[in-house]
Amino acid sequence: MPPPADIVKVAIEWPGAFPKLMEIDQVLYTVLSQALNRNDIKNGSILRLTTSPYLTASQLHERIQSSSMDAKLEALKDLANASRDITFAQEFINLDGISLLTQMVESGTERYQKLQKIMKPCFGDLLSFTLTAFVELMDHGIVSWDTFSVAFIKKIASYANKSAMDTAVLQRSLAILESMVLNSQDLYHKVAQEITIGQLIPHLQGTDQDIQTYTIAVINALFLKAPEEKRQVSQLYAEGCITNVLWSIIHMAHQLYVLQVLTFNLLEDRMMTKMDPQDQAQRDIIFELRRIAFDVECEPNSGSMEKRKSMYTRDYKKLGFINHVNPAVDFTQIPPGMLALDNMLYFARHHQDAYIRIVLENSSREDKHECPFGRSSIELTKMLCEILKVGELQFFCICIQLLNKTWKEMRPPVMQVVREQIMRALTVKPNSLDQFKSRLQNLSYTEILKIRQSERMNQEDFQSRPILELREKIQPEIMELIKQQRLNRLCEGTCFRKISSRRRQDKFWYCRLSPNHKVLHYGDLEESPRERCPMTLYRTMPVADIKAVITGKDCPHMKEKGALKQNKEVLELAFSVLYESDEYLNFIAPDKHEYCVWTDGLNALLGKEMASDYTKSDMETLLSMEMKLRLLDLENIQIPEAPPQFPKNLQYYNLVYHL
């Protein structure tokens, strides 16, 4: 006999006891639904009973002020865990909890510092849990960052300045400093007075990758908020003070990318600045190029004006400028503007032997064979600005020597080949300028010709009509193979992030597809699992209920206020599953690969096209491999464009059967 329609069986769970199956009628169901603000209480649901957020906040507010060190430590640990919940956070903040924590950091810690020598581990844990709770509470965006005192800022900065500080304390201190700088211009000035980039660099030389990542984040924040005249990080970067440290840190790709972009963008003003032919300081740079190239000292006043002008014109012609009389005119085109002159001067000063050799080699050639240093430097700087968006000094020094070498191997149009050499060298993603330079040495003009010929032959082989027909026939088989791989990957499951508006500590949940491809299983996790999900996932969603898959900025969780201000990185990883009437399951993939796998897999379940870049890449790779395998026996055999003709009907068939 089926159960009554107005009765729902649920498991009630309370602390210290196992869930107990109970029946609730329609009246209690309505009350619970309204209290929980949800209407999906179904048979088999588990309801966990706990104290209200207000009561929990009140109890913890009292406990963290206990005179007992053990009781205080336990309370702060509980507070750090509970602060992740926004409802609890609101209640605790209403009790003036943020002020209590800042007071503990400002003055309360002084009381414990007397005990630090005899109970150092306890002191570190107290401070760690205090700062963790503070970060979690501030991540909800309820309290403004402008409310904190100078004493609090100084205390946090002092923890970030100590390399021997407890790792957890140092990590959270760096996170707080980053948020302060990014969220308030006034706080930037206060933080900048307490800590410098030079004081942060030692943290990059350790082995803790999290500390390195947080340190780079603070450096980027200081760099972003700094006035133009104080942005000295580019000078440090160019002179190699932190370059060698950064190359070895491979788990900070995003933050390093931000630092690189910020550094390159400093050159944008020079790239878009025209040279003033009447500016004597700028003209002196051209005189410096002439002096280094030809070892010319200051010209004596003897001799006629006409003779000196003739001498200058001759030297400027040898330097390869278009305007031999007034080379300043060459730098009035933007881009590259003054950036080209900066590059030339840097190369002349720091690679003097190579500079003199290039100038002298080309000044002794016939006009039609020369590689004019001035003109080619301006064109090369313009090209690098296009490739790298702006340009970089050491990069120019390597490439100008490449251009000169390639010029000797061939004749114009040389710039197209130089562009191809640079782009092919960058394709292998060199980890340093030395690797980039080594790669360029292997890409001579002769090698470029071989690569072009090989690519052209392969392209011609695969463009014949029979080959195209074979590709078209194989393609559905490959697509089905990719589809099965995506679904198998969904069955393994993935850990996804839940990120607040000012994230520091990520929250996690896990989702996987059932082996029969009919149900999605999911549930929250305390932390990201190192391997597969270690727990049972109690929540389910039938695949048949899925209506659509939504991606990017159209996702509901990307439209919410303060969703990382719709950070581009997160937007590219966000997708949602629409089910039932107007319910969503919101995802933020851990990386682009998982994003493509899940969106492809979900679309495959819905019978829609798998259109991700990852699928296109897989299709091209697998199709190419399958084609080559099937054509292996036809190597060096000419494939006809049309099938052979059927023989005409013969009147007589002289058939022979031989035993």
Side-chain angles (χ1 to χ4, degrees):
M1 180 178 180
D6 59 348
I7 298 295
V8 178
K9 292 184 178 181
V10 298
I12 307 295
E13 181 182 356
W14 54 91
F18 291 104
K20 184 177 181 181
L21 189 64
M22 300 181 66
E23 295 182 351
I24 57 176
D25 58 21
Q26 187 63 43
V27 176
L28 184 55
Y29 174 85
T30 302
V31 172
L32 284 173
S33 298
Q34 293 174 350
L36 297 173
N37 193 25
R38 59 194 302 170
N39 58 2
D40 60 344
I41 302 177
K42 301 175 181 178
N43 284 318
S45 297
I46 298 178
L47 302 181
R48 294 180 176 86
L49 302 182
T50 184
T51 54
S52 68
Y54 171 77
L55 181 59
T56 304
S58 301
Q59 292 173 347
L60 284 175
H61 191 275
E62 181 179 350
R63 288 171 57 200
I64 63 175
Q65 301 179 70
S66 172
S67 58
S68 168
M69 293 288 286
D70 292 336
K72 181 185 288 289
L73 180 61
E74 193 64 30
L76 286 170
K77 184 178 180 180
D78 293 341
L79 177 63
N81 291 326
S83 297
R84 300 174 183 175
D85 182 78
I86 190 171
T87 307
F88 168 85
Q90 184 69 65
E91 297 293 348
F92 188 79
I93 291 171
N94 290 341
L95 296 172
D96 211 15
I98 291 287
S99 298
L100 178 59
L101 293 179
T102 55
Q103 289 171 11
M104 291 173 63
V105 174
E106 292 174 23
S107 58
T109 52
E110 295 177 2
R111 171 187 169 193
Y112 304 126
Q113 284 174 346
K114 299 177 182 178
L115 305 173
Q116 186 175 359
K117 292 183 179 179
I118 59 175
M119 45 192 319
K120 185 175 180 180
C122 183
F123 171 76
D125 289 342
L126 276 171
L127 190 54
S128 171
F129 289 131
T130 302
L131 296 180
T132 300
F134 176 84
V135 170
E136 292 288 354
L137 292 169
M138 292 301 297
D139 272 354
H140 297 297
I142 301 171
V143 178
S144 171
W145 283 93
D146 288 307
T147 59
F148 300 108
S149 65
V150 175
F152 178 74
I153 297 171
K154 287 186 175 181
K155 188 67 69 174
I156 297 298
S158 69
Y159 298 145
N161 276 329
K162 297 177 183 177
S163 57
M165 178 58 65
D166 178 83
T167 301
V169 173
L170 176 58
Q171 185 185 94
R172 283 146 184 79
S173 299
L174 292 170
I176 293 171
L177 290 175
E178 181 200 4
S179 296
M180 284 181 172
V181 172
L182 291 177
N183 286 280
S184 170
Q185 190 66 35
D186 182 53
L187 282 180
Y188 157 73
H189 294 293
K190 294 177 181 178
V191 171
Q193 292 175 357
E194 303 298 328
I195 194 166
T196 64
I197 292 175
Q199 291 170 310
L200 293 170
I201 288 177
H203 296 323
L204 297 175
Q205 298 170 336
T207 57
D208 191 300
Q209 294 173 356
D210 288 335
I211 295 297
Q212 292 168 335
T213 303
Y214 280 93
T215 302
I216 289 292
V218 177
I219 292 176
N220 286 340
L222 290 170
F223 189 23
L224 279 169
K225 292 293 183 178
E228 191 67 32
E229 64 273 9
K230 291 187 177 180
R231 293 188 177 181
Q232 298 300 322
V233 71
S234 61
Q235 181 179 356
L236 287 172
Y237 192 83
E239 293 177 356
C241 293
I242 59 176
T243 305
N244 292 334
V245 177
L246 297 184
W247 280 123
S248 63
I249 306 171
I250 62 175
H251 292 277
M252 304 190 307
H254 175 67
Q255 293 293 354
L256 290 179
Y257 167 76
V258 172
L259 179 61
Q260 183 183 22
V261 170
L262 293 173
T263 305
F264 280 170
N265 284 346
L266 288 179
L267 304 174
E268 187 174 2
D269 288 341
R270 298 292 285 174
M271 181 181 69
M272 302 306 294
T273 300
K274 296 181 179 180
M275 186 173 184
D276 182 2
Q278 306 304 320
D279 189 322
Q280 187 59 42
Q282 295 179 359
R283 291 170 64 87
D284 287 344
I285 299 177
I286 298 178
F287 294 153
E288 177 75 359
L289 290 173
R290 175 176 175 264
R291 184 194 65 78
I292 296 174
F294 305 113
D295 196 21
V296 177
E297 299 299 332
C298 295
E299 297 293 340
N301 293 327
S302 60
S304 65
M305 179 68 72
E306 294 298 326
K307 184 177 181 180
R308 290 202 300 271
K309 283 186 177 179
S310 175
M311 188 184 305
Y312 290 151
T313 301
R314 180 198 65 198
D315 290 346
Y316 291 148
K317 182 178 180 181
K318 290 180 179 180
L319 281 170
F321 291 113
I322 298 174
N323 193 315
H324 305 153
V325 178
N326 186 7
V329 177
D330 289 14
F331 301 97
T332 56
Q333 178 190 2
I334 55 173
M338 289 297 293
L339 183 59
L341 188 58
D342 293 343
N343 284 338
M344 294 166 67
L345 182 62
Y346 183 92
F347 178 60
R349 285 177 173 174
H350 293 82
H351 301 268
Q352 196 170 114
D353 292 341
Y355 167 68
I356 294 173
R357 185 182 69 251
I358 289 175
V359 173
L360 294 181
E361 277 183 358
N362 291 284
S363 63
S364 62
R365 295 177 184 168
E366 298 178 17
D367 287 348
K368 64 180 181 179
H369 291 156
E370 69 175 1
C371 173
F373 176 73
R375 295 199 294 273
S376 59
S377 294
I378 294 171
E379 287 299 315
L380 178 61
T381 302
K382 184 178 179 181
M383 180 199 298
L384 294 179
C385 288
E386 295 173 0
I387 294 175
L388 299 176
K389 308 306 179 185
V390 277
E392 206 272 330
L393 299 176
Q394 285 290 348
F395 202 76
F396 172 85
C397 295
I398 294 172
C399 294
I400 187 64
Q401 297 177 71
L402 166 72
L403 188 150
N404 186 66
K405 176 176 177 291
T406 305
W407 198 294
K408 289 186 288 187
E409 295 174 353
M410 61 170 294
R411 298 291 174 258
V414 68
M415 298 306 291
Q416 291 92 329
V417 177
V418 172
R419 171 186 284 271
E420 185 173 351
Q421 289 171 312
I422 294 172
M423 296 301 293
R424 288 186 183 276
L426 290 174
T427 302
V428 299
K429 299 180 180 179
N431 292 327
S432 67
L433 287 171
D434 288 338
Q435 290 187 17
F436 174 71
K437 187 175 181 179
S438 175
R439 176 61 178 160
L440 285 177
Q441 290 174 349
N442 296 326
L443 286 172
S444 63
Y445 175 56
T446 305
E447 184 64 24
I448 290 292
L449 289 180
K450 290 180 181 178
I451 294 174
R452 285 179 174 179
Q453 184 178 7
S454 176
E455 291 178 348
R456 185 167 57 250
M457 290 178 64
N458 287 335
Q459 185 176 9
E460 289 173 357
D461 288 344
F462 280 87
Q463 292 303 314
S464 62
R465 192 164 63 87
I467 300 299
L468 293 176
E469 291 177 357
L470 180 60
R471 276 179 67 96
E472 188 176 347
K473 181 179 180 181
I474 296 175
Q475 200 160 343
E477 303 174 15
I478 302 297
M479 185 60 72
E480 182 63 26
L481 181 64
I482 295 173
K483 174 183 175 182
Q484 291 303 319
Q485 186 275 335
R486 298 293 191 270
L487 296 179
N488 291 340
R489 183 63 190 81
L490 263 61
C491 292
E492 294 178 10
T494 301
C495 180
F496 296 95
R497 297 181 289 167
K498 290 182 178 180
I499 306 179
S500 60
S501 60
R502 292 182 179 89
R503 81 176 186 271
R504 223 355 90 203
Q505 295 292 326
D506 290 352
K507 300 173 184 177
F508 302 96
W509 65 291
Y510 203 90
C511 185
R512 64 169 171 244
L513 179 68
S514 63
N516 61 5
H517 302 168
K518 292 186 177 181
V519 178
L520 286 177
H521 298 266
Y522 61 99
D524 293 335
L525 300 175
E526 291 296 327
E527 60 182 4
S528 177
R530 295 183 179 179
E531 298 178 358
R532 294 188 179 183
C533 181
M535 60 178 291
T536 302
L537 303 174
Y538 293 102
R539 306 186 70 180
T540 61
M541 182 181 69
V543 171
D545 291 348
I546 299 177
K547 306 300 181 185
V549 178
I550 304 169
T551 61
K553 63 182 180 180
D554 296 328
C555 298
H557 57 317
M558 291 294 103
K559 295 179 180 179
E560 296 173 358
K561 182 180 178 181
L564 286 183
K565 297 180 181 179
Q566 298 216 358
N567 181 288
K568 183 179 179 181
E569 177 195 5
V570 176
L571 280 175
E572 292 177 349
L573 301 177
F575 61 98
S576 300
V577 171
L578 170 64
Y579 63 99
E580 292 185 351
S581 57
D582 195 20
E583 296 290 330
Y584 293 90
L585 193 60
N586 297 319
F587 299 75
I588 297 177
D591 51 50
K592 191 66 177 178
H593 176 269
E594 289 296 319
Y595 170 85
C596 292
V597 166
W598 274 83
T599 52
D600 283 343
L602 292 171
N603 280 320
L605 289 172
L606 298 179
K608 296 183 179 180
E609 180 185 1
M610 299 185 294
S612 74
D613 294 338
Y614 186 46
T615 292
K616 295 176 183 176
S617 175
D618 281 357
M619 170 61 73
E620 193 59 36
T621 301
L622 294 174
L623 196 55
S624 176
M625 292 174 61
E626 182 67 18
M627 290 288 293
K628 290 178 180 178
L629 286 173
R630 296 201 181 193
L631 297 174
L632 198 59
D633 293 337
L634 298 177
E635 188 174 0
N636 298 324
I637 296 177
Q638 185 68 31
I639 301 175
E641 285 295 324
Q645 296 256 346
F646 283 103
K648 296 180 180 180
N649 290 329
L650 301 178
Q651 293 182 350
Y652 303 101
Y653 293 92
N654 296 322
L655 302 178
V656 177
Y657 181 73
H658 179 68
L659 292 176

